[in-house]
Amino acid sequence: MDKVRIATIGRSAITERFLDALAQVPEAEYVASYSRKEEDARSFAAAHGAHLAFSSLEELGASDQIDAVYIGSPNALHAEQAKALLAGGKHVLVEKSFAANRKLAEEVFGLAHEQGLVALEAARNTFGPGAAYLKNAAEKTGKVRLATFRFSKVTSRIKKLEAGEHVNIFDPHMAAGALMDIGVYCVESALQVFGAPESVKASAVTHQVEGRSADDPYTTIDLAGEAILSYPGFLVNLSYGKVSNDYLASQIEGSAGTLFWKETSCPRTFTFTPYVDKGMVYGTIGGEGAETTSVDMPENDMQFELASFVHAIQGDSEALVETAEHEKLTLASLAVMDDIRRQCGIVFPEDR
Protein backbone atom coordinates (compact mmCIF):
# COMPACT_ATOMS: atom_id res chain seq x y z
CA MET A 1 0.00 0.00 0.00
CA ASP A 2 1.14 3.54 -0.76
CA LYS A 3 0.26 6.24 1.74
CA VAL A 4 -2.67 5.42 4.01
CA ARG A 5 -5.42 7.91 3.21
CA ILE A 6 -7.02 9.15 6.41
CA ALA A 7 -10.25 11.01 7.16
CA THR A 8 -11.25 12.58 10.47
CA ILE A 9 -14.46 12.80 12.45
CA GLY A 10 -14.54 15.73 14.85
CA ARG A 11 -13.36 19.33 14.76
CA SER A 12 -12.17 19.80 18.35
CA ALA A 13 -8.70 20.57 19.68
CA ILE A 14 -7.87 16.85 19.88
CA THR A 15 -8.51 16.48 16.14
CA GLU A 16 -6.27 19.48 15.47
CA ARG A 17 -3.57 17.79 17.56
CA PHE A 18 -4.09 14.54 15.66
CA LEU A 19 -3.53 16.31 12.35
CA ASP A 20 -0.34 17.82 13.69
CA ALA A 21 0.84 14.30 14.56
CA LEU A 22 -0.24 12.98 11.16
CA ALA A 23 2.17 15.42 9.52
CA GLN A 24 4.98 13.56 11.34
CA VAL A 25 4.02 10.15 9.88
CA PRO A 26 5.18 10.07 6.22
CA GLU A 27 3.30 6.86 5.41
CA ALA A 28 -0.08 8.59 5.86
CA GLU A 29 -1.89 11.59 4.41
CA TYR A 30 -4.97 13.60 5.35
CA VAL A 31 -7.65 13.52 2.67
CA ALA A 32 -11.11 14.10 4.19
CA SER A 33 -13.19 15.63 6.96
CA TYR A 34 -16.57 14.52 8.27
CA SER A 35 -19.11 16.64 10.13
CA ARG A 36 -22.87 16.44 10.45
CA LYS A 37 -23.10 19.82 8.69
CA GLU A 38 -21.65 19.87 5.19
CA GLU A 39 -20.42 23.46 5.48
CA ASP A 40 -18.50 22.57 8.66
CA ALA A 41 -16.92 19.55 6.99
CA ARG A 42 -15.90 21.61 3.95
CA SER A 43 -14.52 24.43 6.08
CA PHE A 44 -12.42 22.10 8.25
CA ALA A 45 -11.13 20.16 5.25
CA ALA A 46 -10.12 23.33 3.42
CA ALA A 47 -8.40 24.75 6.48
CA HIS A 48 -6.25 21.63 6.84
CA GLY A 49 -5.43 20.75 3.26
CA ALA A 50 -7.93 17.92 2.68
CA HIS A 51 -9.74 17.70 -0.65
CA LEU A 52 -12.82 15.73 0.46
CA ALA A 53 -15.66 16.57 2.85
CA PHE A 54 -18.56 14.43 4.04
CA SER A 55 -21.74 15.00 6.01
CA SER A 56 -22.98 11.42 5.52
CA LEU A 57 -21.37 8.64 7.51
CA GLU A 58 -22.55 6.10 4.94
CA GLU A 59 -20.90 8.01 2.11
CA LEU A 60 -17.70 8.32 4.11
CA GLY A 61 -17.65 4.58 4.71
CA ALA A 62 -18.35 3.83 1.04
CA SER A 63 -15.70 6.15 -0.41
CA ASP A 64 -12.93 4.40 -2.32
CA GLN A 65 -10.66 7.40 -1.75
CA ILE A 66 -10.29 6.72 1.98
CA ASP A 67 -8.51 3.86 3.76
CA ALA A 68 -8.92 4.76 7.43
CA VAL A 69 -10.79 7.12 9.75
CA TYR A 70 -9.78 8.80 12.99
CA ILE A 71 -12.86 9.09 15.23
CA GLY A 72 -12.60 12.08 17.56
CA SER A 73 -16.30 12.50 18.31
CA PRO A 74 -17.91 12.27 21.80
CA ASN A 75 -17.48 8.88 23.51
CA ALA A 76 -21.13 7.90 23.10
CA LEU A 77 -20.76 7.98 19.31
CA HIS A 78 -17.50 6.02 19.05
CA ALA A 79 -18.85 2.48 18.80
CA GLU A 80 -21.74 3.34 16.46
CA GLN A 81 -19.50 5.28 14.09
CA ALA A 82 -16.70 2.71 14.24
CA LYS A 83 -19.05 -0.14 13.34
CA ALA A 84 -20.55 1.81 10.44
CA LEU A 85 -17.11 2.58 9.03
CA LEU A 86 -15.78 -0.95 9.54
CA ALA A 87 -18.82 -2.24 7.67
CA GLY A 88 -17.77 0.04 4.83
CA GLY A 89 -14.27 -1.43 4.79
CA LYS A 90 -12.46 1.34 6.68
CA HIS A 91 -9.81 0.88 9.36
CA VAL A 92 -10.60 2.92 12.51
CA LEU A 93 -8.46 4.74 15.06
CA VAL A 94 -10.81 5.64 17.91
CA GLU A 95 -10.04 8.33 20.45
CA LYS A 96 -10.06 7.24 24.08
CA SER A 97 -12.25 6.15 25.67
CA PHE A 98 -12.75 3.58 22.90
CA ALA A 99 -16.42 2.91 23.72
CA ALA A 100 -18.98 3.55 26.43
CA ASN A 101 -18.44 0.07 27.87
CA ARG A 102 -16.64 -3.21 27.27
CA LYS A 103 -19.58 -4.90 25.53
CA LEU A 104 -19.66 -2.28 22.78
CA ALA A 105 -15.87 -2.45 22.41
CA GLU A 106 -16.09 -6.21 21.93
CA GLU A 107 -18.63 -5.64 19.14
CA VAL A 108 -16.32 -3.17 17.39
CA PHE A 109 -13.26 -5.39 17.63
CA GLY A 110 -15.31 -8.42 16.57
CA LEU A 111 -16.45 -6.66 13.43
CA ALA A 112 -12.89 -5.52 12.69
CA HIS A 113 -11.69 -9.12 12.90
CA GLU A 114 -14.50 -10.31 10.60
CA GLN A 115 -13.61 -7.64 8.05
CA GLY A 116 -9.86 -8.12 8.31
CA LEU A 117 -9.42 -4.49 9.37
CA VAL A 118 -7.47 -2.67 12.08
CA ALA A 119 -9.36 -1.10 15.00
CA LEU A 120 -7.21 0.66 17.60
CA GLU A 121 -7.76 2.95 20.56
CA ALA A 122 -5.84 6.22 20.45
CA ALA A 123 -4.61 5.96 24.04
CA ARG A 124 -1.46 7.99 23.55
CA ASN A 125 0.18 7.40 26.96
CA THR A 126 0.37 3.64 26.26
CA PHE A 127 2.45 4.07 23.09
CA GLY A 128 5.99 5.22 22.51
CA PRO A 129 9.25 5.13 24.49
CA GLY A 130 7.76 6.54 27.70
CA ALA A 131 5.26 3.70 28.07
CA ALA A 132 7.90 1.12 27.15
CA TYR A 133 10.37 2.50 29.69
CA LEU A 134 7.78 2.55 32.47
CA LYS A 135 6.82 -1.07 31.89
CA ASN A 136 10.46 -2.21 31.99
CA ALA A 137 11.58 0.08 34.81
CA ALA A 138 8.82 -1.21 37.11
CA GLU A 139 10.85 -4.40 37.46
CA LYS A 140 13.66 -2.43 39.16
CA THR A 141 11.47 -1.85 42.20
CA GLY A 142 11.64 -5.52 43.22
CA LYS A 143 8.61 -7.03 44.87
CA VAL A 144 5.84 -4.48 44.36
CA ARG A 145 3.71 -3.62 47.37
CA LEU A 146 1.96 -0.36 46.51
CA ALA A 147 1.57 1.80 43.41
CA THR A 148 -0.25 5.01 42.60
CA PHE A 149 -1.23 6.37 39.20
CA ARG A 150 -2.44 9.99 39.42
CA PHE A 151 -3.86 12.56 37.02
CA SER A 152 -6.13 15.47 37.93
CA LYS A 153 -6.48 18.86 36.31
CA VAL A 154 -9.09 21.59 36.48
CA THR A 155 -11.19 21.83 33.36
CA SER A 156 -12.07 25.25 32.03
CA ARG A 157 -15.64 24.02 31.54
CA ILE A 158 -16.36 23.45 35.23
CA LYS A 159 -17.68 27.02 35.60
CA LYS A 160 -20.27 26.33 32.93
CA LEU A 161 -21.35 23.18 34.73
CA GLU A 162 -21.60 25.00 38.06
CA ALA A 163 -23.69 27.67 36.35
CA GLY A 164 -26.18 25.00 35.29
CA GLU A 165 -25.19 24.96 31.63
CA HIS A 166 -25.02 21.76 29.60
CA VAL A 167 -21.46 20.51 29.13
CA ASN A 168 -20.80 17.47 26.93
CA ILE A 169 -17.86 16.24 28.97
CA PHE A 170 -20.12 16.03 32.04
CA ASP A 171 -23.09 14.45 30.28
CA PRO A 172 -23.91 10.76 30.96
CA HIS A 173 -25.67 10.68 27.58
CA MET A 174 -22.25 11.37 26.01
CA ALA A 175 -20.59 8.53 27.99
CA ALA A 176 -18.38 11.16 29.56
CA GLY A 177 -17.17 12.25 33.00
CA ALA A 178 -13.87 12.35 34.86
CA LEU A 179 -13.16 8.62 34.60
CA MET A 180 -13.83 8.36 30.86
CA ASP A 181 -11.89 11.53 30.05
CA ILE A 182 -9.04 11.66 32.59
CA GLY A 183 -9.11 8.51 34.71
CA VAL A 184 -8.70 6.36 31.61
CA TYR A 185 -5.05 7.48 31.45
CA CYS A 186 -4.45 6.04 34.93
CA VAL A 187 -6.42 2.85 34.30
CA GLU A 188 -4.73 1.96 31.03
CA SER A 189 -1.24 2.81 32.24
CA ALA A 190 -1.68 0.71 35.38
CA LEU A 191 -3.04 -2.27 33.45
CA GLN A 192 -0.31 -1.99 30.84
CA VAL A 193 2.25 -2.39 33.63
CA PHE A 194 0.48 -4.90 35.88
CA GLY A 195 -2.28 -6.54 33.84
CA ALA A 196 -5.90 -6.93 34.89
CA PRO A 197 -6.58 -6.79 38.67
CA GLU A 198 -8.33 -9.41 40.76
CA SER A 199 -10.83 -6.89 42.12
CA VAL A 200 -11.70 -3.20 42.18
CA LYS A 201 -12.98 -0.89 44.92
CA ALA A 202 -14.01 2.61 43.93
CA SER A 203 -15.59 5.85 45.07
CA ALA A 204 -16.27 9.12 43.29
CA VAL A 205 -17.20 12.75 43.74
CA THR A 206 -20.41 12.95 41.75
CA HIS A 207 -22.69 15.66 40.43
CA GLN A 208 -26.34 15.63 39.42
CA VAL A 209 -26.72 17.20 36.00
CA GLU A 210 -30.03 18.50 34.77
CA GLY A 211 -31.87 15.75 32.95
CA ARG A 212 -33.28 16.00 29.46
CA SER A 213 -36.71 15.13 30.86
CA ALA A 214 -38.31 14.78 34.28
CA ASP A 215 -37.86 11.01 34.22
CA ASP A 216 -34.33 10.97 32.77
CA PRO A 217 -32.45 8.17 34.62
CA TYR A 218 -29.02 9.31 33.40
CA THR A 219 -28.13 12.33 35.52
CA THR A 220 -25.25 11.20 37.76
CA ILE A 221 -21.75 12.03 36.54
CA ASP A 222 -18.34 11.91 38.19
CA LEU A 223 -16.13 14.97 38.75
CA ALA A 224 -13.28 13.05 40.41
CA GLY A 225 -12.60 9.60 41.76
CA GLU A 226 -10.37 7.07 43.47
CA ALA A 227 -10.09 3.35 42.85
CA ILE A 228 -8.02 0.59 44.43
CA LEU A 229 -7.03 -2.32 42.21
CA SER A 230 -6.14 -5.51 44.07
CA TYR A 231 -3.39 -7.83 42.81
CA PRO A 232 -1.75 -10.82 44.49
CA GLY A 233 0.46 -9.26 47.18
CA PHE A 234 0.03 -5.60 46.24
CA LEU A 235 -2.42 -2.77 45.64
CA VAL A 236 -2.63 -0.06 42.98
CA ASN A 237 -4.37 3.22 43.70
CA LEU A 238 -5.86 5.32 40.90
CA SER A 239 -6.57 9.01 41.55
CA TYR A 240 -8.14 11.23 38.90
CA GLY A 241 -10.33 14.27 38.44
CA LYS A 242 -11.38 17.29 36.42
CA VAL A 243 -12.05 19.77 39.24
CA SER A 244 -8.64 20.07 40.94
CA ASN A 245 -4.94 20.05 40.09
CA ASP A 246 -2.81 17.16 41.37
CA TYR A 247 0.90 17.98 41.62
CA LEU A 248 1.99 14.70 43.23
CA ALA A 249 3.95 12.09 41.32
CA SER A 250 2.76 8.67 40.32
CA GLN A 251 4.92 5.92 41.80
CA ILE A 252 5.59 2.23 42.17
CA GLU A 253 6.87 1.17 45.59
CA GLY A 254 8.73 -2.11 45.90
CA SER A 255 11.17 -4.01 48.08
CA ALA A 256 14.18 -2.76 46.09
CA GLY A 257 13.15 0.86 45.78
CA THR A 258 10.60 3.34 44.48
CA LEU A 259 10.07 4.53 40.93
CA PHE A 260 8.19 7.78 40.39
CA TRP A 261 7.18 9.98 37.47
CA LYS A 262 4.90 13.00 37.16
CA GLU A 263 3.45 12.80 33.69
CA THR A 264 0.79 10.07 33.77
CA SER A 265 -0.69 11.35 30.50
CA CYS A 266 2.76 11.45 28.88
CA PRO A 267 5.41 9.58 30.93
CA ARG A 268 8.85 10.91 30.07
CA THR A 269 10.99 11.54 33.18
CA PHE A 270 11.52 8.80 35.78
CA THR A 271 13.40 8.72 39.07
CA PHE A 272 14.33 5.48 40.81
CA THR A 273 15.37 5.68 44.46
CA PRO A 274 16.78 2.41 45.81
CA TYR A 275 15.85 1.23 49.27
CA VAL A 276 18.67 1.60 51.80
CA ASP A 277 18.46 -0.33 55.08
CA LYS A 278 19.34 2.07 57.90
CA GLY A 279 17.94 0.00 60.70
CA MET A 280 15.20 1.46 62.87
CA VAL A 281 14.40 5.00 61.73
CA TYR A 282 11.48 7.39 62.14
CA GLY A 283 10.27 8.55 58.76
CA THR A 284 11.11 7.69 55.19
CA ILE A 285 14.71 7.86 54.04
CA GLY A 286 15.25 8.70 50.40
CA GLY A 287 17.47 10.31 47.85
CA GLU A 288 20.62 8.22 48.25
CA GLY A 289 21.66 6.78 44.92
CA ALA A 290 18.62 8.16 43.10
CA GLU A 291 18.78 7.83 39.33
CA THR A 292 16.78 10.04 36.98
CA THR A 293 16.17 9.02 33.39
CA SER A 294 14.42 11.03 30.68
CA VAL A 295 13.24 9.48 27.45
CA ASP A 296 13.12 11.44 24.21
CA MET A 297 9.49 12.39 23.64
CA PRO A 298 8.19 14.86 21.03
CA GLU A 299 5.86 17.66 22.06
CA ASN A 300 3.01 15.86 20.29
CA ASP A 301 3.18 12.20 21.31
CA MET A 302 0.09 11.20 19.29
CA GLN A 303 2.42 10.29 16.44
CA PHE A 304 3.31 6.99 18.15
CA GLU A 305 -0.26 5.65 18.23
CA LEU A 306 -0.79 6.88 14.67
CA ALA A 307 2.42 5.26 13.41
CA SER A 308 1.45 1.93 14.97
CA PHE A 309 -2.01 2.17 13.39
CA VAL A 310 -0.68 3.04 9.94
CA HIS A 311 2.03 0.39 9.99
CA ALA A 312 -0.48 -2.26 11.07
CA ILE A 313 -2.70 -1.30 8.13
CA GLN A 314 0.32 -1.75 5.87
CA GLY A 315 0.87 -5.25 7.29
CA ASP A 316 3.95 -4.62 9.45
CA SER A 317 4.29 -7.65 11.76
CA GLU A 318 5.53 -5.73 14.81
CA ALA A 319 2.74 -3.17 14.50
CA LEU A 320 0.15 -5.94 14.17
CA VAL A 321 1.42 -7.51 17.40
CA GLU A 322 1.32 -4.12 19.12
CA THR A 323 -2.24 -3.38 18.01
CA ALA A 324 -3.36 -6.84 19.15
CA GLU A 325 -1.82 -6.19 22.58
CA HIS A 326 -3.57 -2.84 22.79
CA GLU A 327 -6.89 -4.44 21.91
CA LYS A 328 -6.54 -6.64 24.99
CA LEU A 329 -5.53 -3.60 27.05
CA THR A 330 -8.55 -1.62 25.86
CA LEU A 331 -10.96 -4.43 26.74
CA ALA A 332 -9.40 -5.06 30.17
CA SER A 333 -9.41 -1.33 30.95
CA LEU A 334 -13.06 -0.90 29.96
CA ALA A 335 -13.96 -3.85 32.21
CA VAL A 336 -12.31 -2.03 35.13
CA MET A 337 -14.00 1.24 34.19
CA ASP A 338 -17.38 -0.47 33.93
CA ASP A 339 -16.85 -1.80 37.45
CA ILE A 340 -15.81 1.62 38.79
CA ARG A 341 -18.88 3.28 37.28
CA ARG A 342 -21.16 0.57 38.63
CA GLN A 343 -19.86 1.06 42.15
CA CYS A 344 -20.19 4.85 41.87
CA GLY A 345 -23.69 4.83 40.41
CA ILE A 346 -22.73 6.28 37.02
CA VAL A 347 -24.87 4.76 34.28
CA PHE A 348 -24.83 5.49 30.55
CA PRO A 349 -27.72 4.76 28.17
CA GLU A 350 -25.47 2.24 26.38
CA ASP A 351 -25.23 0.17 29.57
CA ARG A 352 -28.91 -0.79 29.31
Side-chain angles (χ1 to χ4, degrees), residues 14-287:
I14 193 65
T15 305
E16 298 271 2
R17 188 173 176 84
F18 170 81
L19 291 176
D20 176 72
L22 191 148
Q24 310 305 315
V25 181
E27 300 91 344
E29 62 178 334
Y30 183 48
V31 299
S33 169
Y34 165 88
S35 182
R36 288 173 296 177
K37 295 181 179 179
E38 185 175 351
E39 59 268 30
D40 290 339
R42 291 187 180 280
S43 174
F44 193 84
H48 296 87
H51 62 279
L52 296 172
F54 296 87
S55 57
S56 164
L57 199 64
E58 291 72 21
E59 291 180 8
L60 174 63
S63 173
D64 60 2
Q65 299 183 67
I66 297 167
D67 302 307
V69 181
Y70 167 75
I71 300 175
S73 54
N75 294 339
L77 302 178
H78 286 178
E80 175 187 352
Q81 291 176 338
K83 287 191 286 186
L85 293 166
L86 287 165
K90 303 297 179 282
H91 306 276
V92 292
L93 178 63
V94 185
E95 188 52 54
K96 57 82 189 162
S97 294
F98 186 82
N101 54 44
R102 176 176 172 130
K103 181 179 182 296
L104 285 173
E106 289 175 336
E107 293 175 5
V108 173
F109 285 125
L111 182 56
H113 295 164
E114 290 175 10
Q115 298 285 82
L117 298 167
V118 177
L120 181 66
E121 182 179 26
R124 60 185 178 83
N125 69 320
T126 63
F127 290 86
Y133 184 89
L134 175 58
K135 189 171 183 179
N136 293 327
E139 298 178 359
K140 296 175 63 175
T141 64
K143 195 169 187 177
V144 176
R145 290 306 188 189
L146 295 171
T148 303
F149 291 74
R150 318 182 65 89
F151 186 26
S152 290
K153 65 174 182 176
V154 178
T155 175
S156 59
R157 287 163 286 187
I158 190 63
K159 291 183 179 179
K160 292 184 178 180
L161 183 72
E162 292 172 341
E165 297 181 36
H166 175 264
V167 182
N168 272 350
I169 201 61
F170 292 114
D171 185 353
H173 290 271
M174 293 289 101
L179 174 65
M180 301 295 283
D181 188 54
I182 290 288
V184 61
Y185 287 104
C186 301
V187 174
E188 297 205 331
S189 186
L191 267 62
Q192 188 173 48
V193 175
F194 298 117
E198 291 185 331
S199 63
V200 178
K201 292 182 180 179
S203 187
V205 178
T206 59
H207 176 80
Q208 295 300 311
V209 298
E210 193 159 328
R212 299 185 177 185
S213 64
D215 59 349
D216 185 356
Y218 310 109
T219 58
T220 301
I221 201 68
D222 58 327
L223 306 181
E226 300 268 343
I228 297 177
L229 313 183
S230 295
Y231 294 84
F234 67 99
L235 301 173
V236 175
N237 179 67
L238 310 178
S239 180
Y240 55 90
K242 292 183 68 65
V243 289
S244 62
N245 289 326
D246 187 342
Y247 298 105
L248 297 178
S250 296
Q251 60 181 10
I252 299 173
E253 307 166 45
S255 58
T258 298
L259 175 74
F260 65 90
W261 66 101
K262 289 188 176 180
E263 309 91 345
T264 298
S265 62
C266 181
R268 66 178 78 221
T269 302
F270 306 85
T271 298
F272 175 70
T273 301
Y275 169 67
V276 178
D277 189 355
K278 294 279 188 174
M280 183 175 180
V281 294
Y282 297 95
T284 303
I285 296 175

